[in-house]
Amino acid sequence: MIRLAKPNIDERDCAAAVEVLKSGYLVQGPRVAAFEDSLLAMTRAPHAAAVSNCTAALHISLAAIGVGPGDIVICPAYSWLSTANVIELCGAHVEFIDIDPHHFSIDSNHLEKRLKSLMSVGESARRVKAIFVVHPFGYLADMKPLLEIAGRYDLPLIEDAACALGAERDGIAAGGAGVMGCYSFHPRKIATMGEGGAIVSRTPELMRVLKALRNHGLDPEADSPDFILPGFNYRLTEMQAAIGVEQLKKLPEMLATRRKLAARYNELLSGIVEPQHVDSPSFTTWQTYTVKLPVDSVDQRDRVMAYLREREVQTTIGTYHMPMTSYFRSRYGFNTGDFPNTDDVFARTIALPLHEELTEHELSIVKDTLIEALKAAN
Ligand SMILES: *Cc1c(COP(=O)(O)O)cnc(C)c1O
């Protein structure tokens, strides 16, 4: 079986976790602080808080700026469900925006148009509270136009950089351009400790609130315990943080390997399928290597995936068309055609195996099997 993904866990990761277990200090202590320091070095953000997963990070990003019932938060249509779910969980309205058909991130022209109309009416203008930007499959969205639009309307831009830790553009790390940036360390991401997340921010006031929100409302700056708001328990364990420190040490190496493998895939698959457009290798982590199949038919995608599965090549769809999932479709009444780029990308995109142990031989098996699958599906 050629696996879609494979966590990169070695003896040092194991030893780090065992050492913590024997230490008797298991939750949010010195290893969490060390993990946050590693993250700051990597992202060059001034403040970081480790949390239990990226969904928790996204949730407290909205809670920290007071998003609540009646508010509106902008969100791209194509992402893992967390991005939209946390908006709903705050009681706010999700304003989905279509994506760019080549890079799959929020389309700045669509964003601009929608904001212009929302902000021209006093009632809705008062309700819009934030913009989520997702870096799909680790590809860092072009932040310049997005920051310009957000700045014009004085709206905080929050980065869902779940897959993008280590990507960089114009000297700025993924997660570091917005008011807040959120990361995931789930096994399907590149650096992992089973579950895990983090949030970075440029403003110390915001970080104080974020740290209180992750820990029952406890003021992170008070000398004797004081509670400044109703918080969650979104803490990370010391075992996870100790593994996280080891994972971040080898992340640059993992990224270099993935970039090499993705470049090789691009060569092998040229003219057969269309890989996600990447303007420069450093812009992405290749958390997932996705390709668009040549004919736009959902049937074909599923048949191609079934063919590959039968021949022991593991694949999956890219990510989700959130407005067309049962919950959002029935709650908001969306139809096919409301987000045409997302319709097409969702219907035609599959993720191919990519992990650091993949060999040249396996890459060519994936290529040959994909060619056969495309023939068989037609
Ligand atoms: C994985 C992922 C998340 C959720 O991360 P968890 O750590 O599993 O909560 C959120 N957004 C995106 C874009 C993701 O890929």
Side-chain angles (χ1 to χ4, degrees), residues 53-55 58 79-80 82-83 134 160 162-163 184 186 189 196:
N53 54 66
C54 185
T55 308
L58 293 164
S79 181
W80 175 243
S82 304
T83 327
V134 177
D160 179 346
C163 306
S184 173
H186 180 271
K189 316 307 183 197

Side-chain angles (χ1 to χ4, degrees), residues 245-298:
V245 169
E246 295 302 321
Q247 291 277 307
L248 292 187
K249 280 185 203 162
K250 60 185 170 183
L251 183 59
E253 207 182 301
M254 294 194 260
L255 292 174
T257 307
R258 301 178 83 86
R259 284 171 183 148
K260 250 185 244 154
L261 290 166
R264 188 69 188 119
Y265 256 143
N266 285 348
E267 275 170 23
L268 288 169
L269 300 176
S270 147
I272 301 165
V273 284
E274 186 190 334
Q276 182 183 14
H277 288 215
V278 165
D279 295 332
S280 160
S282 64
F283 290 4
T284 191
T285 61
W286 292 111
Q287 177 265 339
T288 296
Y289 184 85
T290 62
V291 295
K292 260 199 276 186
L293 303 179
V295 182
D296 52 340
S297 129
V298 180

